[in-house]
Every structure is written in structure tokens, then in C-alpha cells.
Amino acid sequence: MTVSLEQLRRCHVAVDLGAARTRVFVKGSGLVVDEPSVAAVNTRTGALIAVGALAEKMTGRTPDYIRVVRPVSGGTVVDIEMAQRMLRHLLGEKLRRQLRRKPRLRAAACTPHDSDPLAQRAAVETLVGLGARRVELVDTLIAAAVGSGLPVEQPTATMIMVCGAATTQIAVLSLGAIVTAERIPVGGDAIDHAIIQHLRHHHELMLPSQSVRPLQIALSGNGLTPHGPASTEIHGRDVATGLARSVTVDTAAVREAIHTPLTAVLDGLGKVLRDCPPDLVADLADRGIMMVGGSALLPGLDQMLRDATGMPVHIAERPDVCAVLGLGAMLEGKVQPMILDPLGDHRGLADDRDGGRDRAYADDLTE
């Protein structure tokens, strides 16, 4: 999955197929698509009814013959045909005509760290089905680090945490490559599930899936920290009667439910630091951790990491689109590789001088 910057500069379009959102960057046009990775299908006719935000609003509100599907799970395409149909509708006819004019369309795609060959093949097949003649795969960690403005090409340590919907990826980068990394199967969806299960078990309340994220924000101004309101009112459906009901929830208990899945993230963070060389860990004490991804905006998550590691934690300016913007920066040639042989010219001059001395010595011997 190692690809050179020169190969990426020849690409025309960059795609980030995430479990939560799909983003497309076109060279010269910028970010053109940023929509949820959701499609609604009529099971009787097989017709595509809606994609993106409209399909997401249909979740849990459709009749039996309409099925809402997510063709991407955990950063991996699980339904290639549906992913292609979804991308075609998200791009629109005008943009597809513009891309078809390219004689040899090249595309770049983000793939999770340490993804298996089948997952990589699925990403390639999805874009080939849209007309791409060649597809370059880039590690999401490197693309996100470039998009967040980290100096990945320098010989200093930078730590990146990509908080996705299905997975959390943590890595230490140096000299444009990954030194050590870990992928944890815990993301924003696991946090949502923990809240839903807590309300079901302790309050016998079923919460609509689309109400979970606003609830997280409503927990406080500080979210996971204990400085928010002591309680908050939540509307849902009673498990026993099926009627609508409101309950007052203790936010401390909800915070505790959120902390449970995040312990796996903290364990993965500790493993990355243990596997990292001591010199790079010393750099990280000053630079800290850069958080990107949609779940990085969970209130109070950055403070929890600060308390657990003792290192500074920063959130990128646009954390949700860092990966595709970093990939776009590589396409447009805004990233320059570090020259690892800056003394090459001087060494060449020294070799010439040595060669001249050798020739003079040989002439003296012949005389």
C-alpha cells in the first residue's frame, strides 16, 4: 500500500469511503461531496430511492419494502455494487461527465491501517466500477496527518488519532511513514450503543437512533467531564408499553456508560506508546496528540485523554474532513517529500577530487 507522491500527483480524484460519511475531492474543484454513507433501496424493484442525508433521515421510518443500507462498515466496503450506485448518485451527472472526459482517470482512496487484501481489493473495485483506470491506496493515518497540518515528513515524532464511527486508529509518524500503529474496533457507534443500552437497562427506555448524538452534546458543555448539568430530560419509547415517555437521566451515570467502551481506546494508546522508540516518545511529550475524525468532537474526550496520558491533546481545525483534504493536498502537489540525501552533491564533488588525486598518483607512478 506504499505509494509515491509522484503517483498521487497523477490522480484526478480522491475518495474517502467512511462508515459514517463519504467524501470526494476533485483536483481543481476541492471537496465536492460530503454526505452520509447511506442508501435507501426499494426491495420490490431494486430501485435506489435516496442516498446521503435524505436516506439517513429514513432510518427507522420506512415501510417493509424500503431498506436502508450502509455499504461501508468500519472503513471497508462490504457491498461493492451498492457502494458504486451510491457514489454515482452522490457525484451527480454533471460531475461524472466532467470526470469521464479524463482519458485515463486515476483515483486515490483512503484505507484503514493494516487493512486486509480483500478490503483493499473492495475499495479498488468500487472505484474501477466508476471508470477509474488506476486506483492508488493511501493509509488513512498518513492522509489525516497531512490534512491536519502535521509535519509528517520531518524526522520528529507526530501522533495522530483518527476517531471514526466504527474504529479508532492511533499511530506515531516520522519521516513520512508509520513507526507504530494500532487499530481498535471501538468508535462513535460503540459510544452511541453504550448510551442506548444504558437507557434500556436502567430506565426501560428505547431511544431513537438519531437522538443519541444530540444527547451526547446535551450532557454538558464539557461532556465527559463532571462539570456539566447533574441531570437531563430525555424523550423515548417505553420498552413495556410502547408509549412515548420522558425520563430524567443522571448524567454522571451516562458519562460512566460512555467511559466503558473508551477504556479500550486508552489501552490501545498505551500500547502504541510502549512500542514507540524512547526518542520519539520524548518528542511526543512536547507535541502531544492530534485528534481527527467525526468522533473527535465528542465533548470532553480530549480532556479525558489529557488526564490519562499527561500529554497535550489537540483537535484539528476541521477534524471530520482531514483525511480527504490531506489526500487532496497530495494530489495537488502541496506536500513535498524530505530529501534524505542532502549531502549527495558534496559527496559527488569529494568523489571527483578523490578520483583526480588517484589519477595524479597513477601518473607519478608511470613517470
Side-chain angles (χ1 to χ4, degrees), residues 10-11 30 70 83 91-92 103 127 134 143 179 184 216 235-236 244 273 298 342 350 357 361-362:
R10 298 173 188 165
C11 295
R70 291 182 177 269
L91 287 172
L127 297 183
R134 184 181 175 92
V179 178
I184 304 107
Q216 294 175 359
H235 306 280
L273 290 173
L298 182 66
R357 280 197 294 269
Y361 181 66

Side-chain angles (χ1 to χ4, degrees), residues 3 20 34 51 74 103 111 125 138 178 196 262 275 328-329 353 358:
V3 58
D34 184 5
V51 295
T111 55
E125 289 291 337
V138 180
I178 296 173
I196 291 173
L262 291 178
D275 295 342
R353 286 196 295 269
D358 292 342

Side-chain angles (χ1 to χ4, degrees), residues 338-362:
M338 183 178 178
I339 300 174
L340 295 180
D341 193 13
L343 302 178
D345 295 339
H346 303 293
R347 192 180 301 116
L349 292 174
D351 292 342
D352 291 342
R353 286 196 295 269
D354 292 342
R357 280 197 294 269
D358 292 342
R359 285 191 295 274
Y361 181 66

Side-chain angles (χ1 to χ4, degrees), residues 314-338:
H314 316 283
I315 300 177
E317 187 176 350
R318 298 179 65 188
D320 49 343
V321 294
C322 276
V324 72
L325 290 182
L327 207 49
M330 296 181 198
L331 263 61
E332 295 182 337
K334 296 179 180 178
V335 181
Q336 298 297 327
M338 183 178 178

